[in-house]
Amino acid sequence: MNQNLTFKITGLKGNPRWLDSHAVPLRDTRGNITALLSVTRDITERKAVEDELKRSNAELEQFAYAISHDMRQPLRMVTSYLTLIEKALSGQLDDNTRQYFFFAIDGAKRMDQMILALLDYSRVGRKTEIKTQIASRAAVDEALLFLTPALEASGGSVEVSGDWPELIASRDELSRLLQNLIDNAIKYHEPNQPPQVEVHGSQSGNSFRVEVRDQGIGIAPDQIGRLFNVFSRLQSRSRFEGSGVGLALCRKIVEHHGGNIGVNSAGEGYGSVFWFELPIQPSHFISGENDFV
Ligand SMILES: Nc1ncnc2c1ncn2[C@@H]1O[C@H](COP(=O)(O)OP(=O)(O)OP(=O)(O)O)[C@@H](O)[C@H]1O
Ligand SMILES: [Mg+2]
């Protein structure tokens, strides 16, 4: 079995260096190990860049969290005082002014929803539980439970098939990932066309793949690139409600688990297949990261 080891040593001048060692056993014709071939690289510079990136990412996330958290309070004041003023003036308002109040309050409420979604987004990987061995099938069942009212209102169906292995993941994040993808698959369809959604799980080696297939409105190929960005929406709010954070959240969850996410669609009107792949065991469970100093 190949072995990877990352460790720190202290050089002769007292400076710490990070080394990465990869070892492969050499065997004779009977399969007995006769020697070990090992290559060791000095990765101190790469480690310093990675640490700096981690630090600045953590700072950015803290910043996003603080902004979204602290902005809600003054915004709530705007909404409540606008509502109070509207009530106080109720007898004196003409139709136009009443509509202006409606737009102002509606805008403030929508901003609050966007901030809440952003808060949720900034929490991924920070405020969620640690990764443990979980049953992926339980995560999909939980997601479906949350979506029961939306599914019943749509008159459609969701079919779950394939393999749903156990894997090392955050149960809460996996459930939210599935919930967002299935929620979109239920939502983005023509009004006269009840959604038919298929959720298929499969396992190949150390990789767990899920496909969420719908027969809905589909996606134009030139729009696919921006779908996973925060606040990126292809449809107007009057046609489909939403804050445009769901897929960005999905991407962040998948990245937090060292996986990939994407979508295939033959174009508008041809449905979509959103997919993601996660490692069943994260790489450091296989290779191990050790600090010997
Ligand atoms: N299954 C789908 N079929 C067609 N278009 C989709 C599908 N899923 C997502 N989209 C498009 O991608 C956009 C972004 O989706 P995303 O889930 O991030 O946001 P949302 O659904 O608008 O809001 P929310 O934050 O409430 O999920 C959507 O507005 C829609 O235009
Ligand atoms: Mg969505």
Side-chain angles (χ1 to χ4, degrees):
M1 196 178 83
N2 295 0
Q3 273 290 345
N4 263 354
L5 222 50
T6 302
F7 54 98
K8 193 162 77 175
I9 57 161
T10 307
L12 291 177
K13 292 180 185 160
N15 297 326
R17 309 291 301 174
W18 279 95
L19 301 178
D20 181 59
S21 226
H22 185 72
V24 185
L26 300 179
R27 296 172 192 272
D28 62 17
T29 46
R30 290 201 204 112
N32 299 320
I33 297 175
T34 54
L36 208 60
L37 181 66
S38 161
V39 179
T40 301
R41 288 175 307 157
D42 185 331
I43 56 158
T44 310
E45 275 73 35
R46 193 187 83 193
K47 192 95 176 132
V49 173
E50 280 174 5
D51 287 351
E52 174 54 24
L53 203 66
K54 266 190 209 158
R55 194 199 54 75
S56 83
N57 269 347
E59 198 176 279
L60 259 178
E61 288 190 357
Q62 178 59 32
F63 180 66
Y65 175 76
I67 289 195
S68 39
H69 186 262
D70 297 352
M71 268 175 17
R72 291 198 71 207
Q73 176 58 19
L75 190 62
R76 264 199 296 263
M77 284 176 70
V78 173
T79 324
S80 11
Y81 279 102
L82 275 174
T83 313
L84 283 176
I85 299 170
E86 190 196 22
K87 262 199 194 129
L89 297 175
S90 65
Q92 308 158 46
L93 296 179
D94 60 26
D95 282 353
N96 269 348
T97 326
R98 209 170 297 123
Q99 201 169 37
Y100 298 157
F101 267 107
F102 172 78
F103 287 146
I105 294 168
D106 186 51
K109 281 186 182 158
R110 197 144 38 88
M111 191 189 257
D112 192 47
Q113 278 166 8
M114 289 167 87
I115 292 176
L116 257 183
L118 212 53
L119 202 57
D120 226 19
Y121 175 80
S122 81
R123 278 191 176 126
V124 172
R126 275 177 4 102
K127 295 276 164 177
T128 40
E129 78 221 331
I130 47 154
K131 295 174 193 155
T132 50
Q133 178 103 1
I134 56 151
S136 56
R137 181 65 210 216
V140 79
D141 287 343
E142 186 176 86
L144 289 174
L145 196 67
F146 280 116
L147 292 168
T148 305
L151 184 63
E152 279 176 3
S154 75
S157 63
V158 177
E159 200 178 292
V160 181
S161 63
D163 288 338
W164 294 85
E166 293 205 337
L167 75 163
I168 305 285
S170 151
R171 158 97 183 251
D172 171 55
E173 287 188 6
L174 182 60
S175 172
R176 281 157 75 203
L177 167 62
L178 287 158
Q179 197 183 323
N180 271 294
L181 295 181
I182 302 170
D183 178 44
N184 283 347
I186 294 173
K187 179 163 56 166
Y188 293 107
H189 65 96
E190 299 296 347
N192 56 352
Q193 186 192 52
Q196 289 182 340
V197 181
E198 289 164 50
V199 186
H200 186 79
S202 59
Q203 181 180 347
S204 163
N206 189 42
S207 180
F208 169 49
R209 181 181 171 96
V210 173
E211 291 185 353
V212 179
R213 181 184 301 272
D214 67 59
Q215 320 290 335
I217 61 170
I219 298 160
D222 60 329
Q223 299 296 329
I224 283 180
R226 64 189 191 93
L227 279 189
F228 293 89
N229 295 339
V230 173
F231 296 144
S232 185
R233 305 201 70 228
L234 306 183
Q235 315 298 329
S236 69
R237 250 186 348 107
S238 56
R239 200 167 165 219
F240 296 103
E241 273 286 338
S243 47
V245 178
L247 287 178
L249 190 91
C250 290
R251 182 169 71 175
K252 204 166 172 218
I253 291 175
V254 168
E255 282 172 359
H256 179 222
H257 285 80
N260 294 305
I261 186 165
V263 56
N264 304 323
S265 173
E268 282 178 285
Y270 292 98
S272 318
V273 184
F274 280 82
W275 58 265
F276 65 83
E277 286 169 349
L278 302 180
I280 290 174
Q281 299 252 309
S283 57
H284 66 267
F285 267 64
I286 297 170
S287 65
E289 180 160 307
N290 299 286
D291 187 348
F292 284 123
V293 173

